[in-house]
Amino acid sequence: MVNGDNGTGGVPRVISVDDHVIEPAHLFDTWLPGKYRDKGPKPFTAGIGDLAYVGGKYRFTTDPAGQITDWWEYEGLLFPYKRIIAAVGFTRDEMTLDGITREEMRRGCWDPKARLADMDLNHVEASLCFPTFPRFCGQTFAEAQDKEVALACVRAYNDWMVEEWCGDSGGRLIPLCLIPLWDIDLAVAEIRRNAARGVRAVTFSEIPTHLGLPSIHSGYWDPFFAVCQETGTVVNMHIGSSSQMPAASPDAPPAVQASLSFNNAMASMMDFLFSGVLVKFPQLKLAYSEGQMGWIPYALERADDVWEEHRAWGGVKDLIPEPPSTYYYRQIFCCFFRDKHGIASLDVVGRDNATFETDYPHVDSTWPHTKSVAEDHVAGLPEEVAYKLLRGNAIRMLDLPFDRERAAGSRA
């Protein structure tokens, strides 16, 4: 149906702009060129030892006598899958840092047909999925020693994402690709390669300097931003894509990082608002993934106040010609899944700027209750506003082949 509710009534079917995929064990054996496979990532199953989350990062040991877990090995480094990243189907008390195998996961974590079935159960029409083993913006490959193999891995992942994960979904699984973060020219080429086959989303680091990469203020990334603008490729930045989460103390429990996770998105957005990037590239679109939105009204108020009162000594008098909020409303999308404060502040957050996510299959996921969560959040809002939040803004953002006419016409 035109309104996207497929006859179910109530809220329209959701387009989720932030979900996750657990990579199948065959990914690199299938998609990596043969000459690189000996040096590429290898899946294996083995016991896991102690696992902890300290200062925003995982620490673990292996143990042959430990719980059987599925792993990747790459350049001598080990990456275990943990239950909290494949949490759907478990109770809250079972969503732990324990290791997990694909057999123990819900099949929709790694099988595209099963994912579509789980989306049907969850009132979701389409889904954009971030990587797991490569990490949120491909840090695993950016940190590799052999960059020739790493580049091949980035391309193999993107080929798998486009052709296998999304290929038979009828557009319901939306491709999100990586770039080789360590080489700007290769990054530009990879954007062009994927845009030529219809990809309109790339994942990028919220704070590149945390990865040892140049800042967005340096001009280094301008060719990347330029090609994203040219091709209509949305730059998606997930919390944690700087390889660290905010932590008040190095020995704080994981609940502290979970509660502060939006801080990375807030810091990144301030960086962009005062960088001049959005002035220089006025059609570039940024998307903050899993950052929520209740913090945005004051962040914009403060940014505009600093611009008004402090721009001369603050170094932005000649760089930012209009109040920073101008560029937010024009070019930035936020997303949410549980954020009543953000809904209450929606007129400032921006009815055209907010999108919805389900975070499948992570511990925060609303699966299989997304419809009721969405209904609870948009209750009392005008039908057209609910449509924008749950569906229409995502269609505009990603240029999706769903009720485009209504989505385009609904913008205020």
Side-chain angles (χ1 to χ4, degrees):
M1 297 182 69
V2 171
N3 66 3
D5 66 14
N6 288 355
T8 61
V11 298
R13 289 181 76 189
V14 165
I15 294 178
S16 175
V17 299
D18 172 32
D19 293 316
H20 302 266
V21 60
I22 305 296
E23 295 79 19
H26 69 259
L27 192 160
F28 295 101
D29 280 344
T30 301
W31 293 96
L32 195 61
K35 67 178 180 177
Y36 298 117
R37 285 180 194 159
D38 285 347
K39 294 184 177 180
K42 302 286 192 307
F44 70 98
T45 303
I48 191 169
D50 295 330
L51 180 65
Y53 191 61
V54 179
K57 296 185 178 182
Y58 290 107
R59 299 286 184 265
F60 59 85
T61 60
T62 57
D63 183 351
Q67 181 179 4
I68 298 301
T69 300
D70 277 343
W71 305 68
W72 289 97
E73 182 277 327
Y74 179 50
E75 289 198 340
L77 300 177
L78 303 180
F79 179 96
Y81 285 126
K82 298 164 287 290
R83 191 176 288 187
I84 61 167
I85 63 173
V88 291
F90 293 98
T91 68
R92 286 293 166 190
D93 288 340
E94 293 172 327
M95 295 178 184
T96 65
L97 291 171
D98 292 343
I100 191 172
T101 65
R102 291 180 186 83
E103 280 299 307
E104 294 171 304
M105 299 175 191
R106 192 167 178 87
R107 192 176 179 91
C109 292
W110 51 269
D111 179 279
K113 291 182 179 178
R115 174 64 66 92
L116 292 174
D118 275 357
M119 288 162 59
D120 289 337
L121 288 173
N122 201 32
H123 200 63
V124 173
E125 181 158 18
S127 169
L128 184 79
C129 292
F130 282 83
T132 302
F133 161 66
R135 293 160 39 216
F136 290 143
C137 66
Q139 301 102 298
T140 296
F141 303 125
E143 294 168 1
Q145 296 300 309
D146 189 328
K147 288 300 192 288
E148 181 180 351
V149 176
L151 177 61
C153 287
V154 167
R155 290 173 172 167
Y157 178 90
N158 291 340
D159 291 344
W160 164 81
M161 167 61 65
V162 173
E163 298 181 37
E164 183 177 325
W165 179 252
C166 300
D168 294 328
S169 70
R172 296 184 62 193
L173 294 172
I174 305 160
L176 175 65
C177 287
L178 307 175
I179 55 168
L181 289 162
W182 61 92
D183 187 304
I184 190 65
D185 294 329
L186 293 175
V188 168
E190 191 62 11
I191 292 291
R192 291 194 185 282
R193 185 176 82 95
N194 292 312
R197 49 183 174 175
V199 176
R200 294 294 178 267
V202 64
T203 178
F204 185 64
S205 176
E206 59 200 352
I207 308 173
T209 54
H210 285 351
L211 304 180
L213 297 168
S215 81
I216 62 167
H217 304 277
S218 67
Y220 175 84
W221 297 103
D222 283 3
F224 167 69
F225 296 135
V227 75
C228 287
Q229 174 176 262
E230 175 193 333
T231 58
T233 300
V234 181
V235 178
N236 295 264
M237 293 172 284
H238 197 283
I239 55 168
S241 57
S242 53
S243 291
Q244 64 186 63
M245 297 291 280
S249 306
D251 55 349
V256 173
Q257 287 92 36
S259 299
L260 291 174
S261 59
F262 70 91
N263 277 8
N264 280 1
M266 182 166 60
S268 177
M269 193 175 85
M270 285 297 187
D271 231 16
F272 271 99
L273 291 179
F274 285 110
S275 68
V277 167
L278 300 178
V279 178
K280 192 180 298 185
F281 304 104
Q283 270 99 46
L284 179 68
K285 290 185 283 188
L286 308 180
Y288 283 100
S289 307
E290 206 172 325
Q292 308 298 342
M293 61 185 189
W295 53 271
I296 289 175
Y298 178 69
L300 294 178
E301 179 183 341
R302 180 59 181 165
D304 284 356
D305 189 55
V306 167
W307 179 85
E308 184 67 36
E309 303 293 339
H310 308 291
R311 61 179 177 266
W313 73 266
V316 294
K317 180 172 65 74
D318 299 321
L319 186 63
I320 311 298
E322 298 179 78
S325 62
T326 305
Y327 309 104
Y328 166 80
Y329 291 118
R330 187 176 74 186
Q331 293 173 254
I332 297 178
F333 293 85
C334 58
C335 76
F336 72 101
F337 50 87
R338 294 188 192 92
D339 192 338
K340 292 291 189 68
H341 186 70
I343 291 290
S345 307
L346 189 59
D347 285 343
V348 182
V349 169
R351 297 182 177 201
D352 294 319
N353 300 81
T355 59
F356 196 70
E357 62 163 292
T358 81
D359 201 31
Y360 182 109
H362 282 189
V363 67
D364 252 330
S365 180
T366 55
W367 187 93
H369 307 297
T370 293
K371 185 177 181 183
S372 61
V373 171
E375 286 174 335
D376 184 43
H377 276 70
V378 303
L381 294 177
E383 179 184 351
E384 197 58 27
V385 174
Y387 169 83
K388 288 182 180 187
L389 301 185
L390 302 179
R391 184 180 180 85
N393 291 341
I395 292 170
R396 281 193 305 105
M397 181 178 90
L398 294 162
D399 191 25
L400 300 177
F402 305 104
D403 35 286
R404 276 179 174 161
E405 187 172 334
R406 180 180 180 185
S410 70
R411 180 158 194 184

